[in-house]
Amino acid sequence: MADAAAIESNSADHVTVSPHAHGFAAEITGINLADGVSDAEFAVIHQAFLDHKVLVFRDQPLEDAPHQAFAARFGELDGHINKSTRQKGMPNVQVFSNVKADGKTTGVHPEKGTLVWHTDKSYTATPSLTTVLRSPAIASKGGDTLFADTARAYEALPEPTKNKIGGLRAIHDWGRSRLKSGERPATEEEMAAAPPVDHPLARTHPETGAKAIYVGNHASHVVDMDRSEGEALLAELEAHATQAQYIYRHKWRVNDVLMWDNRCTMHCVEPYDAAKEKRAVHRVVVKGDKPV
Ligand code: OGA
Ligand code: MN
């Protein structure tokens, strides 16, 4: 017979899911991620993740190890191509920070590619399922993270556009997206680790079955289409998906944990004054499936 403590730990009644407008993004309360997450709690979080695509947990002063342990509930962790951002001794934790050891700012935003619309690691054969971020330091002005619901945006496309993109694929190229966003060029070793790949322009979510537009900064051009025509189509799809009605704007607080479904969203960081403002995020990424 189950005892009271076992029943208690199997319950997730204390967890609350509060969705934002249009059900895009939700805040989860009643959970302390540092304590670990029970199976019952995880089931609620996982369902909320599928339903709302972006999850916000406030007031979670996490260390890297429990942060990583929480992300690992969602699947296999994935390190980053850019080894310079890896946390010492924890290759699956990356730190994007403009704060130096002496407490002063570097003056530049790390990873400029995060300032433009993208979906994480779409330049790999098995792009990120989710990215779990936490915020030890936030900018007082700017530095919000914007999310676009690319599944709702797909639904709203005119039928002829859905049909047109149905059979099309785009090349996703990390080396090229770095140049586009003004980052240092990828090294030969990095390009060997991340050669260009192609993915469908509209992908089907492996868990919900919903279709979503799959573009962003790493998408360089469309396979078997005139280069400029393909670039124009990618730009048109991105502009459509990032209209105000599909956006959730995350206003950071220190110790937020924020996670998103890269299979049906795009995101970007709003510019801020990287000389004046300190901004740091720690990041753990979970590997996803090959997009279909
Ligand atoms: C990322 C990213 C957004 C941010 O970690 O993939 O795009 O708010 N970061 O720093
Ligand atoms: Mn990103």
Side-chain angles (χ1 to χ4, degrees):
M1 212 173 89
D3 63 27
I7 290 168
E8 174 103 335
S9 73
N10 267 333
S11 150
D13 292 350
H14 51 286
V15 182
T16 308
V17 179
S18 311
H20 288 267
H22 306 296
F24 184 44
E27 191 162 327
I28 309 280
T29 50
I31 271 187
N32 183 4
L33 296 176
D35 293 342
V37 167
S38 71
D39 289 346
E41 289 170 337
F42 181 72
V44 173
I45 295 171
H46 184 241
Q47 191 57 51
F49 175 72
L50 295 180
D51 292 343
H52 307 295
K53 305 176 181 113
V54 180
L55 298 182
V56 182
F57 303 81
R58 302 282 194 187
D59 305 315
Q60 305 283 340
L62 281 185
E63 301 289 337
D64 285 327
H67 177 182
Q68 176 169 285
F70 173 61
R73 295 298 296 263
F74 287 81
E76 186 191 341
L77 302 183
D78 205 3
H80 200 265
I81 304 291
N82 184 352
K83 292 188 180 151
S84 66
T85 60
R86 291 184 187 176
Q87 184 71 306
K88 273 199 194 75
M90 298 191 83
N92 289 325
V93 176
Q94 293 125 44
V95 180
F96 293 168
S97 170
N98 70 341
V99 190
K100 294 189 289 191
D102 65 5
K104 300 207 171 97
T105 65
T106 59
V108 288
H109 174 68
E111 295 293 327
K112 294 199 188 75
T114 61
L115 296 168
V116 287
W117 288 107
H118 66 283
T119 170
D120 290 334
K121 303 190 77 166
S122 69
Y123 51 82
T124 66
T126 51
S128 314
L129 185 160
T130 182
T131 306
V132 183
L133 227 60
R134 63 186 179 89
S135 54
I138 61 161
S140 63
K141 205 167 151 227
D144 295 350
T145 305
L146 305 182
F147 291 89
D149 183 339
T150 55
R152 256 188 81 230
Y154 175 87
E155 276 313 309
L157 284 173
E159 279 309 311
T161 311
K162 286 183 183 168
N163 292 336
K164 177 179 169 185
I165 68 173
L168 294 176
R169 302 179 71 81
I171 302 287
H172 293 244
D173 182 340
W174 190 65
R176 189 161 181 283
S177 61
R178 287 184 69 80
L179 295 180
K180 275 196 287 182
S181 58
E183 269 295 342
R184 65 154 176 83
T187 63
E188 261 179 45
E189 187 195 346
E190 287 170 341
M191 280 318 294
V197 292
D198 60 281
H199 295 307
L201 277 187
R203 67 178 290 186
T204 304
H205 196 290
E207 295 183 81
T208 67
K211 284 195 167 183
I213 294 170
Y214 197 61
V215 294
N217 189 48
H218 303 305
S220 123
H221 58 283
V222 178
V223 178
D224 290 336
M225 187 179 273
D226 169 76
R227 187 106 193 179
S228 55
E229 196 186 331
E231 285 172 356
L233 177 58
L234 293 173
E236 180 192 320
L237 290 170
E238 182 177 303
H240 166 77
T242 55
Q243 294 176 87
Q245 67 268 35
Y246 305 128
I247 302 294
Y248 164 68
R249 169 184 289 268
H250 186 68
K251 291 199 164 293
W252 288 96
R253 294 186 207 153
V254 172
N255 292 334
D256 281 349
V257 169
L258 179 71
M259 66 183 296
W260 57 89
D261 191 335
N262 282 296
R263 302 165 296 185
C264 50
T265 62
M266 287 192 288
H267 59 280
C268 65
V269 180
E270 181 187 52
Y272 60 97
D273 185 339
K276 279 201 196 125
E277 303 275 358
K278 294 180 192 174
R279 187 181 194 276
V281 295
H282 288 220
R283 166 182 205 268
V284 181
V285 172
V286 176
K287 191 182 268 198
D289 299 321
K290 182 175 160 58
V292 288

